[in-house]
Amino acid sequence: MDSVSFFLLNNLPWFWLAVAVLCIVLEGMTMALTTVWFGCSAFVLIFVSFLPVPFKWQLLLFVVLSLVLLVFTRPIAVKKLKVKNVPTNSDALVGKTVLVTEKITALQKGAVKVNGVTWSARSADGTEIAKGAECVITEIEGATAVVRKR
């Protein structure tokens, strides 16, 4: 048996602690809710390593426990930790009612006024929209509001 294997087998709690820390650090960098389960399993294996359980069985337990946690608890965690996306900047304009200030045709952009600011605009479906018509912004493409008749 070489010296690395000998050192590893005589310091299994420290090995599992290192694996747990590494997994948690990786999770902190990715925020994907995947490696955290491997870190939790490695934490459990710290205590298992004090028992007279051979390393190959510890490794098998680590893999099985990690996969069970990943498959059964990750979907629940993802659902509970789902962050609501709050529209900001131009995304907040989608769905707003606007007033057409320059006629919009299929071949030429017009303009709309929203929150006191004039935006270039085009029709979402290519129809002509007359000046003074009320429209709804369906999306923002660069600096152009895509609108449809109300």
Side-chain angles (χ1 to χ4, degrees):
M1 188 181 321
D2 64 343
S3 61
V4 175
S5 299
F6 182 75
F7 179 78
L8 175 70
L9 292 175
N10 286 326
N11 295 293
L12 282 175
W14 293 107
F15 169 76
W16 290 117
L17 178 64
V19 171
V21 169
L22 180 68
C23 289
I24 300 301
V25 167
L26 284 173
E27 181 63 38
M29 293 183 342
T30 63
M31 301 298 283
L33 283 176
T34 51
T35 56
V36 69
W37 310 116
F38 291 88
C40 292
S41 297
F43 183 75
V44 170
L45 267 290
I46 292 171
F47 301 103
V48 172
S49 67
F50 288 113
L51 301 173
V53 178
F55 180 67
K56 65 180 179 181
W57 294 110
Q58 289 181 32
L59 198 56
L60 179 66
L61 180 62
F62 171 72
V63 170
V64 169
L65 186 58
S66 296
L67 292 177
V68 166
L69 286 173
L70 183 67
V71 169
F72 292 109
T73 58
R74 184 180 184 276
I76 296 167
V78 167
K79 186 177 178 183
K80 292 289 183 185
L81 297 175
K82 186 174 183 181
V83 178
K84 292 181 182 174
N85 199 2
V86 177
T88 58
N89 300 332
S90 62
D91 294 332
L93 299 177
V94 174
K96 287 212 176 223
T97 302
V98 295
L99 184 66
V100 177
T101 58
E102 289 179 29
K103 181 178 164 181
I104 302 170
T105 66
L107 301 174
Q108 187 175 357
K109 290 182 181 179
V112 294
K113 194 167 213 168
V114 57
N115 296 338
V117 178
T118 302
W119 283 70
S120 63
R122 72 170 180 83
S123 175
D125 54 5
T127 60
E128 188 173 299
I129 304 174
K131 179 179 178 179
E134 282 190 355
C135 295
V136 176
I137 297 177
T138 58
E139 64 179 301
I140 302 291
E141 290 179 349
T144 303
V146 180
V147 298
R148 65 173 165 73
K149 285 184 183 178
R150 206 166 165 196

